[in-house]
């Protein structure tokens, strides 16, 4: 579990790899309600099985709440972020961290061809890195105490 590991390994390591989405014509209220039910901070916006945008809690706060708009009357397509920055299974954990840091977002869709195969969150990446550090610490402790296999 290293920063040079691929997104594919991170996706395989996730307990649940589901792609949650909403269509662009839905109300922002419905999208936020779905986020709350599913316990996520963003939804992909899909139209005819194509990724057309991403809607985050930040989009909602800045483009609806702060502007005094109605979440029931505003459509997802009016406030979604588009075009979407995405990665492939071959991108590394380190590359994903750099993209998220540079652009100040917390979710990256994973796309292969025209299909979305998953979503990586900043939390997924942090867990991956921490797991790798814990493994390294255990190996070093084993080496120091003479329990190192090899």
């Amino acid at each position: 579990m290293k920063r040079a590991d691929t997104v594919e390994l991170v996706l395989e390591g996730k307990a649940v790899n589901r792609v949650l989405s909403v269509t662009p014509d839905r109300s922002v209220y419905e999208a936020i309600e779905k986020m709350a039910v599913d316990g996520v901070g963003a939804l992909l916006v899909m139209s005819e099985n194509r990724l057309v945008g991403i809607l985050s809690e930040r989009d909602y706060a800045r483009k609806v709440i702060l502007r005094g708009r109605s979440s029931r009357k505003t459509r997802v397509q009016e406030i979604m972020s588009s075009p979407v920055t995405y990665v492939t299974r071959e991108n590394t954990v380190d590359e994903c961290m750099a993209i998220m840091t540079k652009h100040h977002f917390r979710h990256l869709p994973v796309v292969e061809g025209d299909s979305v195969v998953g979503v990586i969150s900043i939390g997924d990446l942090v867990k991956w890195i921490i797991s790798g550090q814990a493994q390294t610490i255990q190996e070093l402790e084993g080496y120091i105490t003479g329990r190192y296999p090899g």
Side-chain angles (χ1 to χ4, degrees), residues 35-68:
M35 284 185 213
V37 167
D38 291 319
V40 297
L43 292 173
L44 300 184
V45 183
M46 306 287 289
S47 179
E48 298 177 9
N49 292 322
R50 277 193 34 240
L51 178 63
V52 296
I54 189 166
L55 179 70
S56 69
E57 293 169 331
R58 181 178 287 170
D59 291 321
Y60 173 67
R62 293 179 179 179
K63 298 173 185 174
V64 176
I65 298 296
L66 290 179
R67 293 184 183 168

Side-chain angles (χ1 to χ4, degrees), residues 59-77:
D59 291 321
Y60 173 67
R62 293 179 179 179
K63 298 173 185 174
V64 176
I65 298 296
L66 290 179
R67 293 184 183 168
R69 298 172 79 176
S70 165
S71 60
R72 291 187 190 271
K73 293 180 183 175
T74 305
R75 299 286 144 220
V76 167
Q77 63 198 7

Side-chain angles (χ1 to χ4, degrees), residues 4-144:
D5 287 340
T6 64
V7 168
E8 182 169 23
L9 292 172
V10 178
L11 287 176
E12 289 172 3
K14 288 177 72 166
V16 176
N17 181 29
R18 57 189 177 162
V19 176
L20 299 172
S21 66
V22 65
T23 57
D25 61 324
R26 303 306 290 189
S27 74
V28 171
Y29 182 88
E30 291 170 303
I32 294 298
E33 188 174 49
K34 181 176 178 92
M35 284 185 213
V37 167
D38 291 319
V40 297
L43 292 173
L44 300 184
V45 183
M46 306 287 289
S47 179
E48 298 177 9
N49 292 322
R50 277 193 34 240
L51 178 63
V52 296
I54 189 166
L55 179 70
S56 69
E57 293 169 331
R58 181 178 287 170
D59 291 321
Y60 173 67
R62 293 179 179 179
K63 298 173 185 174
V64 176
I65 298 296
L66 290 179
R67 293 184 183 168
R69 298 172 79 176
S70 165
S71 60
R72 291 187 190 271
K73 293 180 183 175
T74 305
R75 299 286 144 220
V76 167
Q77 63 198 7
E78 297 174 53
I79 68 161
M80 67 184 187
S81 295
S82 182
V84 180
T85 299
Y86 61 87
V87 294
T88 67
R89 294 176 202 244
E90 289 78 34
N91 283 97
T92 65
V93 169
D94 203 35
E95 290 168 336
C96 292
M97 293 288 283
I99 291 167
M100 289 177 164
T101 300
K102 179 181 177 183
H103 297 288
H104 304 286
F105 42 65
R106 299 176 181 141
H107 301 87
L108 276 174
V110 182
V111 176
E112 289 298 323
D114 291 332
S115 300
V116 176
V117 296
V119 176
I120 297 294
S121 72
I122 191 73
D124 296 330
L125 299 177
V126 168
K127 285 177 196 171
W128 188 263
I129 291 168
I130 289 171
S131 294
Q133 291 172 342
Q135 182 179 355
T136 300
I137 289 168
Q138 285 179 342
E139 290 170 0
L140 289 171
E141 286 175 345
Y143 177 75
I144 291 167

